[in-house]
Amino acid sequence: MEEVEIKKLVKDVESLYDAGKLDIILNVVESLHPVDLAEVYQHLTTDTREQVFHLLDSDTASAVLVELDQPLQQEILEDIDSGRLTEIVQELESDDMTDLVSQLSSETAHQLLSAMDKEDSDEVRELLLHPEKSAGGIMAKEFVSVDESRTVDEAIAELRSRADEVQDVYYIFVVDDRGILVGFLSLKKLILSPSLARVNTVMNRDVISVKTDRDQEEVAHIVKKYDLVSIPVVDDSGILVGRITIDDVMDVVDEEASEDIHKMAGIGEEARLRESSPFRMSRVRLPWLITGLVGGLFAAVILSHFEQSLSKIIALSFFTPVIMSMGGSIGIQSSTIVVRGLATGEISFIDSYKHLYKEMKVSLINGFICSVILFGVAVIWQDIKLGILLGGSLFLIMNVAALVGALAPLLLRKVQVDPAIATGPFITISNDIVGLIIYFSLSTLILG
Amino acid sequence: MEEVEIKKLVKDVESLYDAGKLDIILNVVESLHPVDLAEVYQHLTTDTREQVFHLLDSDTASAVLVELDQPLQQEILEDIDSGRLTEIVQELESDDMTDLVSQLSSETAHQLLSAMDKEDSDEVRELLLHPEKSAGGIMAKEFVSVDESRTVDEAIAELRSRADEVQDVYYIFVVDDRGILVGFLSLKKLILSPSLARVNTVMNRDVISVKTDRDQEEVAHIVKKYDLVSIPVVDDSGILVGRITIDDVMDVVDEEASEDIHKMAGIGEEARLRESSPFRMSRVRLPWLITGLVGGLFAAVILSHFEQSLSKIIALSFFTPVIMSMGGSIGIQSSTIVVRGLATGEISFIDSYKHLYKEMKVSLINGFICSVILFGVAVIWQDIKLGILLGGSLFLIMNVAALVGALAPLLLRKVQVDPAIATGPFITISNDIVGLIIYFSLSTLILG
């Protein structure tokens, strides 16, 4: 649904609410996809949305609840009576259940868990044990599996018996008598196989799975690489314990891309925007600003050491900004290419030297072109000596900055540190400092 | 498969090749998943990989071919004889076929298309008509659809008859007698429905589809929003013409995130890394470097206008870098938050003012803290007048830069320009210039 339609619906619901026509609101609301309903819901006034949520049956209410941003979820969770909460939460799949429970105060969570069916609460308790960003932390306990000795017909019966509980089924997982994952069957294959065939004669044995402790980013990589729509999760002994569906993988991909983009801009983990107060938001951004400030003061100290040159040749200071910013720009370019290449898998460790070599060629070309331009401008505007100084410094600085930019993420990954921090302000600040030192050292050398 | 395993396999295959044991290579190669085989293939020497490719049956060869990067695909396409090429290409689904054909010289493409089955070549010709980044450009013609008047059993028969041609099936699309999309059936639902039920009594009528001319980024948004694994594509009259599967959507998501990240770093559309020569790579990065150079020279001109102040109070030049870089940093932070928020849909137009307001609060807080620190340092190091100048300028500059950074992407999106360019060097350069002007204007005002 388009933004304009959402906007119109919000208006409609608000005026229906003002006119007290709750029954018409219910009609409107029931005709919407839960995803669209959640979007409308977000933009309603507090009073209206409280009333609207009360109107929903527990099935729709749970579908809307998972789509909402955390602050709005919180609002509902705090507001709702515990009977209804239990009803709504039990409609959810176990991964969404776990996400919700982890947001509650430990007292409310405890209450909710005791009110739930034992099976559901056991699942949630198990899922809560896994780190949030691991395969175990994002998997759901809802999946369909059959023993390998069963027939296709029995697999279909199993699917039927679990149909209400497991929303989206694309594969049926096949396990042996110890519960160890040994294969899978796509539903297409299931439909097309003879009904009396044994599952282990028709299943695909090349099943790709992940262990519970696998990092969510790696899970996303695997799912993308092998074009899966759902991936089974196994424990250390290979026993099937859960599955991760593609929609959750999509969320991971978005989350990780946002994280990288934010790191590039010197923004800490901000999780979601809507949920944060300005104070929390300033706190995640302040560290890099302070680092930048310290770096800038350091630059000031360096400049003050060259006070004599600066006061003799005032034109030196005209070009400080351009010298510094060009090193920053080319450094960001080369580090970004490498960081993103590592993140998407386009650059692998096997061929990282090749890339480094290519980056250096690129910086030699671009450094040369920019230096010649700066040389020309300086000669025309000032004199040839300054031209040589500026052209020479710029060439040197741009190549050093590009090398640092490309090398830093590779080294960071080698020592298991997230390479994305190399694209952040850290590289820019170091390049600033190195640039200044090169520029003023050369100036002493060339201009005396 | 892990990188170390790939590395080991590459070594093994190379030494088997040197020993002339092609039959063992074939065994190794046949045991691999095509995705892993493609990765091994990329790292083989030219001679070896040519031989290995010759060993593969056309089914495996086509699966490997689509996984390779463009330059390696080119190598194969140029090398292979036309009979085998036709065989391999016909194993592909129509979207991959089209991607391959679009890479060939028009002569080779023409030859290939005439050698192919008429049905396949017609499909490719049709797909080539759509813009590369539209729904029509990424869709495949392979899907399973049934007329709404058919029964569940007939739908299964249709699935069976198309099973070889259509690899991954998750939904069966339902059309009316004019071919207009009217609903869909998940395979789960298909399995669980009575075999004699009419399709239109069991299908889901809330089918979400996109038109052929829809931008691929919007398609990805819709698929993510509604948690789909495949989305039908319709023409202007609503007739079903193709489908896009989640794996292609995943590629779009990665591609678009890379594009945004590259734009942030002032890198033009580089498509894929591996395929580019250093000259092509420098060309896509040079424009922003030149822009930065011009911006820096502009800064030099501004500084030269304040030559008198600079020569009188040399300390002014010490702080030019910190003043400029802080404006740049905070501007990038706020523009990045807004650009990424717009890209993921976290910020919608409906609440953009709320975000702008929040961004301003954040910049007031962080600007204040940084200014107080700079004021303190300047007072201790130099004098109170310089402290007031620096603290005042920094506060003003940081808030202006943050406002510009947050506002620019919103305005750009309003006029239908990609907001991501606002995170690029453009904002940094404008902030540099504005910062310098504020700093030196205030210095004339305060220091006389």
Side-chain angles (χ1 to χ4, degrees):
Chain A
M1 205 168 261
E2 305 285 326
E3 261 183 46
V4 277
E5 295 170 76
I6 299 285
K7 223 167 169 173
K8 199 185 155 295
L9 272 167
V10 171
K11 256 193 176 164
D12 289 353
V13 172
E14 287 292 355
S15 44
L16 285 169
Y17 178 72
D18 289 340
K21 293 181 174 156
L22 290 182
D23 50 331
I24 307 186
I25 292 185
L26 189 61
N27 281 342
V28 172
V29 149
E30 276 180 343
S31 69
L32 291 176
H33 191 290
V35 174
D36 294 320
L37 178 52
E39 211 164 317
V40 170
Y41 187 88
Q42 313 241 25
H43 295 105
L44 295 175
T45 58
T46 321
D47 277 2
T48 321
R49 68 173 173 247
E50 210 173 287
Q51 283 303 317
V52 168
F53 197 80
H54 280 297
L55 290 176
L56 307 175
D57 60 75
S58 58
D59 195 21
T60 316
S62 74
V64 169
L65 188 61
V66 286
E67 295 293 333
L68 294 177
D69 290 317
Q70 227 180 326
L72 281 185
Q73 286 185 346
Q74 285 287 6
E75 188 186 284
I76 292 173
L77 294 175
E78 279 157 19
D79 194 55
I80 212 169
D81 72 88
S82 63
R84 179 130 202 263
L85 179 60
T86 315
E87 233 173 74
I88 291 174
V89 168
Q90 295 211 129
E91 297 280 347
L92 297 173
E93 300 222 320
S94 53
D95 53 342
D96 295 326
M97 247 185 234
T98 310
D99 288 345
L100 271 190
V101 169
S102 65
Q103 282 180 50
L104 298 170
S105 68
S106 64
E107 199 192 339
T108 324
H110 192 77
Q111 264 179 24
L112 177 63
L113 285 171
S114 4
M116 279 161 60
D117 291 344
K118 192 171 174 316
E119 198 198 325
D120 285 339
S121 63
D122 282 352
E123 283 178 358
V124 171
R125 284 204 178 89
E126 187 202 321
L127 290 177
L128 282 171
L129 295 177
H130 297 285
E132 203 193 332
K133 295 195 166 189
S134 68
I138 58 172
M139 74 183 181
K141 303 293 294 176
E142 287 80 7
F143 54 83
V144 182
S145 66
V146 286
D147 191 282
E148 55 175 340
S149 62
R150 299 293 161 141
T151 62
V152 165
D153 256 357
E154 287 169 320
I156 290 177
E158 177 65 19
L159 174 63
R160 190 180 307 275
S161 76
R162 307 263 294 157
D164 276 344
E165 198 192 328
V166 192
Q167 292 277 322
D168 300 313
V169 186
Y170 311 112
Y171 308 133
I172 290 191
F173 300 118
V174 184
V175 294
D176 68 10
D177 50 6
R178 291 160 301 172
I180 290 177
L181 180 70
V182 292
F184 74 100
L185 262 175
S186 68
L187 290 198
K188 175 184 164 196
K189 183 83 186 173
L190 187 71
I191 293 174
L192 302 181
S193 298
S195 35
L196 294 177
R198 264 172 180 256
V199 161
N200 62 5
T201 61
V202 292
M203 73 181 184
N204 190 332
R205 287 173 192 278
D206 290 331
V207 58
I208 293 161
S209 63
V210 286
K211 286 209 178 135
T212 46
D213 57 0
R214 196 76 179 248
D215 182 82
Q216 64 170 6
E217 195 168 1
E218 291 176 61
V219 175
H221 259 295
I222 295 169
V223 168
K224 277 193 280 184
K225 192 169 162 186
Y226 296 100
D227 290 346
L228 310 172
V229 290
S230 153
I231 189 166
V233 183
V234 297
D235 68 10
D236 282 336
S237 17
I239 291 174
L240 180 64
V241 293
R243 69 148 185 183
I244 300 166
T245 43
I246 187 84
D247 52 314
D248 294 321
V249 171
M250 276 280 195
D251 293 341
V252 171
V253 170
D254 263 351
E255 207 181 289
E256 301 282 346
S258 290
E259 250 182 60
D260 283 357
I261 288 175
H262 287 169
K263 270 184 202 141
M264 268 178 84
I267 299 168
E269 297 204 11
E270 195 149 1
R272 273 154 203 256
L273 277 171
R274 289 206 188 87
E275 74 204 51
S276 309
S277 76
F279 284 100
R280 239 196 91 195
M281 283 172 80
S282 37
R283 222 170 42 226
V284 294
R285 301 189 205 175
L286 195 57
W288 276 121
L289 291 175
I290 300 278
T291 313
L293 193 61
V294 172
L297 288 172
F298 200 66
V301 172
I302 294 174
L303 282 168
S304 73
H305 277 286
F306 292 99
E307 185 166 355
Q308 276 215 314
S309 323
L310 271 171
S311 56
K312 243 196 297 177
I313 309 150
I314 198 76
L316 275 183
S317 68
F318 301 166
F319 295 99
T320 321
V322 72
I323 286 286
M324 289 175 69
S325 70
M326 292 304 287
S329 301
I330 199 169
I332 285 291
Q333 286 185 337
S334 62
S335 63
T336 301
I337 284 288
V338 176
V339 168
R340 184 64 186 161
L342 288 172
T344 57
E346 261 190 300
I347 297 180
S348 68
F349 245 86
I350 308 178
D351 50 12
S352 57
Y353 293 101
K354 245 170 39 194
H355 278 287
L356 202 58
Y357 186 59
K358 215 188 224 178
E359 281 300 317
M360 286 324 296
K361 282 199 253 181
V362 174
S363 79
L364 284 171
I365 300 170
N366 284 345
F368 181 73
I369 296 173
C370 293
S371 307
V372 168
I373 297 175
L374 188 61
F375 168 80
V377 172
V379 170
I380 294 166
W381 187 13
Q382 307 278 337
D383 58 58
I384 186 134
K385 265 197 164 174
L386 196 71
I388 293 171
L389 166 63
L390 285 171
S393 317
L394 189 63
F395 185 73
L396 209 59
I397 288 165
M398 284 179 77
N399 281 292
V400 169
L403 179 64
V404 171
L407 203 55
L410 291 172
L411 293 179
L412 286 171
R413 221 199 80 163
K414 195 127 208 169
V415 295
Q416 313 270 328
V417 175
D418 182 355
I421 62 164
T423 39
F426 184 69
I427 285 287
T428 314
I429 294 163
S430 356
N431 281 338
D432 278 3
I433 308 270
V434 172
L436 270 187
I437 293 174
I438 292 178
Y439 178 46
F440 280 98
S441 308
L442 278 188
S443 79
T444 321
L445 212 74
I446 294 175
L447 309 178
Chain B
M1 204 169 262
E2 305 283 326
E3 262 184 45
V4 278
E5 295 170 77
I6 298 284
K7 224 168 168 171
K8 199 185 155 294
L9 273 167
V10 171
K11 256 194 176 161
D12 290 351
V13 172
E14 288 291 356
S15 43
L16 285 168
Y17 178 73
D18 289 340
K21 294 180 175 158
L22 291 184
D23 49 330
I24 307 185
I25 293 186
L26 188 61
N27 282 340
V28 172
V29 150
E30 277 180 341
S31 69
L32 291 175
H33 192 291
V35 173
D36 294 319
L37 178 51
E39 211 164 319
V40 170
Y41 186 89
Q42 313 241 27
H43 295 106
L44 296 174
T45 58
T46 321
D47 277 1
T48 321
R49 69 174 173 246
E50 211 173 288
Q51 284 301 318
V52 168
F53 197 81
H54 280 297
L55 291 175
L56 306 176
D57 61 75
S58 59
D59 196 22
T60 316
S62 74
V64 169
L65 189 60
V66 286
E67 295 294 333
L68 295 176
D69 290 316
Q70 226 182 328
L72 282 184
Q73 287 185 345
Q74 286 286 8
E75 189 185 284
I76 293 173
L77 294 176
E78 279 157 21
D79 195 55
I80 212 169
D81 71 88
S82 63
R84 180 128 202 263
L85 178 60
T86 315
E87 235 173 72
I88 291 174
V89 168
Q90 295 213 125
E91 297 280 347
L92 297 173
E93 300 222 321
S94 53
D95 52 342
D96 295 326
M97 245 184 237
T98 309
D99 287 346
L100 272 190
V101 170
S102 66
Q103 281 181 51
L104 298 170
S105 69
S106 64
E107 200 192 339
T108 325
H110 191 79
Q111 264 177 26
L112 177 62
L113 286 172
S114 1
M116 280 162 60
D117 291 344
K118 192 172 174 315
E119 198 198 324
D120 284 339
S121 62
D122 282 352
E123 281 178 0
V124 172
R125 285 205 178 88
E126 187 203 320
L127 290 177
L128 282 170
L129 295 178
H130 297 285
E132 205 192 331
K133 296 196 165 188
S134 69
I138 58 173
M139 73 182 183
K141 302 292 293 177
E142 286 80 9
F143 55 83
V144 181
S145 66
V146 286
D147 191 281
E148 56 175 337
S149 62
R150 299 294 162 139
T151 63
V152 165
D153 255 357
E154 286 169 320
I156 290 177
E158 177 64 19
L159 174 64
R160 190 179 306 274
S161 76
R162 307 264 294 157
D164 277 343
E165 199 191 328
V166 192
Q167 292 277 322
D168 301 313
V169 186
Y170 312 113
Y171 309 132
I172 291 189
F173 300 118
V174 184
V175 293
D176 67 11
D177 50 6
R178 289 160 303 171
I180 290 177
L181 180 70
V182 292
F184 73 100
L185 261 174
S186 69
L187 291 197
K188 176 184 164 198
K189 183 81 186 175
L190 188 71
I191 293 174
L192 301 181
S193 297
S195 34
L196 295 178
R198 266 172 179 254
V199 162
N200 62 5
T201 61
V202 291
M203 73 182 184
N204 188 333
R205 288 173 191 276
D206 291 330
V207 57
I208 294 161
S209 63
V210 286
K211 285 209 180 136
T212 45
D213 58 359
R214 196 78 178 245
D215 183 83
Q216 64 171 8
E217 196 168 1
E218 291 175 61
V219 175
H221 259 294
I222 294 169
V223 168
K224 278 193 280 184
K225 194 170 162 185
Y226 296 99
D227 290 347
L228 309 173
V229 291
S230 152
I231 189 166
V233 183
V234 297
D235 68 10
D236 283 335
S237 17
I239 291 174
L240 180 64
V241 292
R243 68 148 186 184
I244 299 165
T245 43
I246 188 85
D247 52 314
D248 294 321
V249 171
M250 276 281 195
D251 293 341
V252 171
V253 170
D254 263 350
E255 206 181 291
E256 301 283 347
S258 290
E259 251 183 60
D260 283 356
I261 289 176
H262 287 170
K263 270 183 203 142
M264 268 178 84
I267 300 168
E269 296 204 13
E270 194 148 5
R272 277 161 199 247
L273 276 171
R274 289 205 188 90
E275 74 203 52
S276 307
S277 76
F279 284 99
R280 239 197 91 196
M281 284 170 79
S282 35
R283 223 170 41 227
V284 294
R285 300 190 206 173
L286 194 57
W288 276 122
L289 291 174
I290 301 277
T291 314
L293 191 61
V294 172
L297 288 172
F298 200 67
V301 172
I302 295 174
L303 282 167
S304 72
H305 277 286
F306 292 99
E307 186 167 353
Q308 277 215 314
S309 326
L310 272 171
S311 55
K312 244 196 298 181
I313 309 151
I314 199 76
L316 275 183
S317 69
F318 302 167
F319 295 99
T320 321
V322 73
I323 285 286
M324 288 174 71
S325 72
M326 292 304 287
S329 301
I330 200 168
I332 285 291
Q333 286 184 337
S334 61
S335 63
T336 301
I337 284 288
V338 176
V339 168
R340 184 63 187 161
L342 287 172
T344 57
E346 261 189 299
I347 297 180
S348 68
F349 244 86
I350 306 179
D351 50 13
S352 57
Y353 292 100
K354 244 169 44 194
H355 278 287
L356 202 58
Y357 186 59
K358 214 186 223 180
E359 280 301 317
M360 286 324 297
K361 281 199 252 181
V362 174
S363 78
L364 283 170
I365 299 170
N366 284 346
F368 181 74
I369 296 175
C370 293
S371 307
V372 168
I373 297 175
L374 188 62
F375 168 82
V377 172
V379 169
I380 295 166
W381 188 11
Q382 306 278 338
D383 58 59
I384 186 134
K385 263 197 168 174
L386 197 71
I388 294 172
L389 167 63
L390 286 171
S393 316
L394 190 64
F395 184 72
L396 209 56
I397 288 165
M398 285 179 76
N399 281 292
V400 170
L403 180 64
V404 171
L407 203 55
L410 291 172
L411 293 179
L412 286 172
R413 219 198 80 164
K414 197 127 206 170
V415 294
Q416 312 272 327
V417 174
D418 182 354
I421 63 163
T423 40
F426 185 71
I427 284 289
T428 314
I429 294 163
S430 355
N431 281 337
D432 278 3
I433 308 269
V434 172
L436 270 187
I437 293 174
I438 292 178
Y439 178 46
F440 280 98
S441 308
L442 277 188
S443 78
T444 321
L445 211 74
I446 295 176
L447 309 179

